[in-house]
C-alpha cells in the first residue's frame, strides 16, 4: 500500500525525523489560510498523487509552458494563484503513464534553502536477504539515471537485523553522503530513526529524494515516498487509515476485499490461476506464444466458490481483456470447486470473450464434467502449453 507524501512525512515526524511544516488542502479556498500558518517567505505547493517525478511533470490541461507539479511560491498570493491553477488538473509524470493523475490534494509546505540534495532510501534487498540503505550524493533527480550512468555514486548498505543500524553503519552512510558538522550529527540520529520507522511500521520502501542539507547546515527530509507491506497492514490500523482508494486501481481494491492477489497489467489475456508460481509460469507462456497477460491473479490455495466467482468477475470487468485463461492445478484447491465458480460467474456476468480452461489434479474429472454439462462455450485444454496456444489463437 502506498501513501501520499504529506502522510509519509507525518509518519516520519512521529518518529522524530526532521520534516518541514506543511498543510494539506483539497480546495483552493483553503490555500491562503494554509500559507498563513507557515513561516514564509518561501513556500512550496506540492501535488499529492501516488507517483513521483511531480516536479518535472506536466499538467495536461495547462499547455507546455505551464510549471510542473511542485512549485515554489514567493508570497501568499503566489501560493493561492498556484493552488487555483493546479487543483483538479491532470498531472503527467514519468511514473503516472500517459493518462496522468488528477491532482485532488495539495501540500503547502515551508520552503527550504537548499545547499545540497541527497538521495537516501531503505528497502528490502532480496539479493542479500536484508533490509538495506541506498545512499547517494546525487539526490533530487532520477535515481535510476544515476544508477545507469554513474553507479559508483550509489552506496548500498545492508543492515544486520540483530544489530540494527550501528554507529559504524551511520558513519558509513554519513561518509557516503559527504556529511559534516551539524549535518553529520543530524545524520547519525536520522539513519537509525528512519530504520526504526521502517521496521516498526512494516514498510517495504522508504525513499527520501531529496534529503537535503540546508544552507544553515542542517538536514531535512524534503520528499518522502513510503510503501507498506500489505500483508502486515492488519497490525497497523493507523497506517490502514491513510489509504487513499481514489489513487488505486479499482479492480485491485475489489480483489483485496476478497483477499485475492491481483495486479492489473497492460495485456489482453486475463488469467485466473492458483499459486503465485503457476501464475508467473502462465504469464510467461502467454508471452512465449506472442501475447501479453492482462493481469496477475492468484486465487490462492483453498479458494471458495465465491472467491473464484469474484475473481472471474474482476477479470471480465476489464475492458482490455480479449480472452481468459483459467489454469488450475488442484492440490488443496479442488477442480470441481473452480469449475463451479467459473460456471456461476459466467451465468451471472455473461461471457463475451473466449475462455480456455485447463484443470489438473484433485477432482479433475468432476471439474471437467461440470464445465461440459454447463452448456457454456468453454474450450478445455490438456496442459499448460496447449492452453496457452489455444487462448492466444482464440484472441487472434
Ligand atoms: P518529485 O520527486 O515528485 O518531483 P519533490 O518533493 O522531490 O517531488 O520535489 C521536487 C523538487 O522540488 C526537489 O528536488 C526540490 O528541489 C524542490 N522542493 C520540494 N520541496 C521543497 C521545499 N519544501 N522547499 C524547497 N524546495 C523544495
Ligand atoms: Mg522527489
Amino acid at each position: 500500500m502506498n501513501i501520499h507524501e504529506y502522510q509519509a512525512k507525518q509518519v516520519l515526524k512521529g518518529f522524530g525525523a526532521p520534516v518541514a511544516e506543511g498543510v494539506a488542502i483539497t480546495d483552493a479556498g483553503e490555500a491562503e489560510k494554509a500559507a498563513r500558518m507557515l513561516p514564509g517567505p518561501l513556500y512550496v505547493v506540492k501535488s499529492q498523487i501516488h507517483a513521483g517525478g511531480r516536479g518535472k511533470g506536466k499538467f495536461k490541461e495547462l499547455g507546455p509552458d505551464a510549471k510542473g507539479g511542485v512549485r515554489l511560491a514567493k508570497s501568499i498570493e503566489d501560493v493561492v494563484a498556484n493552488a487555483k491553477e493546479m487543483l483538479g488538473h491532470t498531472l503527467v509524470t514519468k511514473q503516472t503513464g500517459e493518462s496522468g493523475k488528477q491532482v485532488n490534494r495539495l501540500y503547502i509546505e515551508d520552503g527550504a534553502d537548499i545547499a545540497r540534495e541527497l538521495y537516501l532510501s531503505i528497502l528490502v534487498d532480496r539479493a542479500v536477504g536484508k533490509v538495506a540503505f541506498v545512499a547517494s550524493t546525487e539526490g533530487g533527480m532520477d535515481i535510476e539515471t544515476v544508477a545507469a550512468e554513474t553507479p559508483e555514486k550509489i552506496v548500498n548498505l545492508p543492515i544486520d537485523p540483530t544489530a540494527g543500524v550501528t554507529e559504524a553503519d551511520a558513519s558509513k552512510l554519513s561518509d557516503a553522503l559527504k556529511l559534516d558538522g551539524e549535518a553529520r550529527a543530524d545524520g547519525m540520529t536520522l539513519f537509525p530513526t528512519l530504520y526504526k520507522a521502517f521496521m516498526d511500521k512494516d514498510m517495504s520502501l522508504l525513499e527520501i529524494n531529496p534529503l537535503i542539507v540546508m544552507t544553515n547546515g542542517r538536514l531535512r527530509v524534503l520528499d518522502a515516498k513510503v510503501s507498506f507491506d500489505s500483508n502486515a497492514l492488519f497490525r497497523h490500523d493507523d497506517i490502514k487509515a491513510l489509504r487513499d482508494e481514489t489513487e488505486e486501481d479499482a479492480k485491485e481494491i475489489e480483489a483485496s476485499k476478497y483477499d485475492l492477489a491481483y495486479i492489473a497489467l497492460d495485456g489482453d489475456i486475463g488469467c485466473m490461476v492458483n499459486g503465485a508460481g503457476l501464475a508467473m509460469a502462465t504469464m510467461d507462456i502467454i508471452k512465449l506464444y506472442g501475447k501479453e497477460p492482462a493481469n496477475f491473479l492468484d486465487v490462492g490455495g483453498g479458494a471458495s466458490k465465491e472467491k473464484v466467482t469474484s475473481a472471474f468477475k474482476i477479470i471480465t470487468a476489464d475492458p482490455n481483456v480479449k480472452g481468459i485463461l483459467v489454469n488450475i492445478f488442484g492440490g488443496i484447491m479442488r477442480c470441481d470447486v473452480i469449475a463451479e465458480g467459473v460456471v456461476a460467474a459466467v451465468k451471472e456476468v455473461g461471457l463475451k470473450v473466449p475462455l480456455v480452461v485447463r484443470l489438473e489434479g484433485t477432482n479433475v474429472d468432476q471439474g471437467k464434467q461440470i464445465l461440459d454439462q454447463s452448456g457454456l462455450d468453454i474450450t478445455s485444454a490438456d496442459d499448460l502449453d496447449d492452453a496457452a496456444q489455444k487462448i492466444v489463437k482464440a484472441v487472434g
Side-chain angles (χ1 to χ4, degrees):
M1 187 190 91
N2 297 322
I3 57 173
H4 290 292
E5 174 200 1
Y6 78 96
Q7 297 170 320
K9 284 178 171 171
Q10 239 132 45
V11 172
L12 296 179
K13 192 178 174 188
F15 284 86
V19 299
E21 287 176 62
V23 183
I25 63 165
T26 53
D27 186 319
E30 304 161 37
E32 182 177 342
K33 189 171 158 228
R36 289 201 186 284
M37 292 164 77
L38 303 176
L42 189 63
Y43 309 87
V44 184
V45 185
K46 309 185 78 173
S47 308
Q48 298 298 294
I49 54 171
H50 284 188
R54 297 161 300 166
K56 294 206 176 82
K58 286 280 170 207
F59 282 99
K60 244 185 187 173
E61 300 88 353
L62 301 184
D65 297 330
K67 285 190 272 175
V70 174
R71 300 177 176 188
L72 286 178
K74 296 210 165 96
S75 66
I76 290 179
E77 298 73 55
D78 208 9
V79 169
V80 175
N82 279 298
K84 277 187 184 153
E85 195 177 297
M86 293 161 78
L87 269 174
H89 289 139
T90 313
L91 186 61
V92 180
T93 81
K94 256 189 165 176
Q95 293 182 9
T96 60
E98 269 172 49
S99 51
K101 284 202 160 169
Q102 191 175 43
V103 176
N104 298 320
R105 189 177 274 110
L106 296 173
Y107 192 44
I108 317 288
E109 194 177 58
D110 179 35
D113 292 317
I114 305 173
R116 290 201 297 138
E117 299 203 5
L118 314 170
Y119 177 93
L120 184 70
S121 65
I122 308 180
L123 43 76
V124 180
D125 187 339
R126 288 173 175 82
V128 293
K130 285 178 183 163
V131 167
F133 277 84
V134 177
S136 174
T137 50
E138 308 305 298
M141 53 171 131
D142 230 0
I143 197 67
E144 288 80 7
T145 310
V146 182
E149 289 170 8
T150 47
E152 70 281 0
K153 289 189 171 160
I154 296 181
V155 172
N156 193 306
L157 183 73
I159 300 301
D160 177 347
T162 57
V165 180
T166 60
E167 287 269 326
D169 291 331
S171 278
K172 274 186 205 158
L173 290 167
S174 299
D175 290 343
L177 297 173
K178 298 195 166 48
L179 299 179
D180 47 30
E182 280 192 296
R184 191 175 182 96
D186 282 349
M188 296 300 283
T189 32
L190 178 63
F191 306 134
T193 297
L194 295 176
Y195 181 80
K196 182 168 170 35
F198 186 96
M199 300 305 278
D200 281 9
K201 296 295 178 190
D202 289 308
M203 294 178 185
S204 53
L205 174 72
L206 166 52
E207 185 180 55
I208 299 171
N209 187 21
L211 170 73
I212 57 161
V213 182
M214 296 189 284
T215 48
N216 68 5
R218 306 295 302 264
L219 280 189
R220 182 180 274 181
V221 171
L222 209 67
D223 187 11
K225 179 181 176 183
V226 176
S227 306
F228 297 90
D229 180 349
S230 303
N231 293 319
L233 280 177
F234 72 92
R235 56 183 185 188
H236 301 293
D237 286 340
D238 55 335
I239 301 299
K240 241 199 254 172
L242 302 179
R243 187 162 187 178
D244 180 355
E245 293 197 342
T246 64
E247 290 284 330
E248 296 177 21
D249 185 294
K251 297 189 292 301
E252 290 179 15
I253 294 170
E254 190 62 22
S256 73
K257 280 188 203 153
Y258 293 95
D259 204 21
L260 296 160
Y262 173 90
I263 309 288
L265 299 168
D266 296 330
D268 52 15
I269 296 184
C271 306
M272 182 158 86
V273 189
N274 67 326
L278 189 58
M280 300 291 275
T282 305
M283 291 159 64
D284 280 346
I285 202 159
I286 288 173
K287 279 173 171 278
L288 183 69
Y289 285 109
K291 282 282 178 187
E292 296 284 329
N295 66 276
F296 168 95
L297 173 58
D298 171 12
V299 293
S304 62
K305 182 178 144 193
E306 288 68 34
K307 206 166 162 179
V308 172
T309 310
S310 56
F312 199 83
K313 280 196 214 160
I314 290 165
I315 295 176
T316 50
D318 181 351
N320 293 329
V321 169
K322 303 285 183 296
I324 300 170
L325 174 55
V326 176
N327 182 25
I328 300 293
F329 181 79
I332 301 168
M333 179 92 232
R334 287 164 22 215
C335 292
D336 55 319
V337 171
I338 283 281
E340 279 177 7
V342 169
V343 171
V346 171
K347 287 196 170 143
E348 204 177 318
V349 297
L351 185 63
K352 294 170 203 78
V353 297
L355 170 63
V356 174
V357 180
R358 179 252 178 166
L359 296 177
E360 193 54 79
T362 310
N363 293 356
V364 62
D365 293 334
Q366 279 161 264
K368 284 185 173 163
Q369 205 180 2
I370 291 167
L371 294 179
D372 287 344
Q373 291 172 355
S374 68
L376 301 170
D377 186 13
I378 297 171
T379 307
S380 68
D382 300 325
D383 55 38
L384 184 47
D385 211 55
D386 183 42
Q389 290 186 46
K390 279 179 173 156
I391 191 64
V392 167
K393 188 156 171 257
V395 169

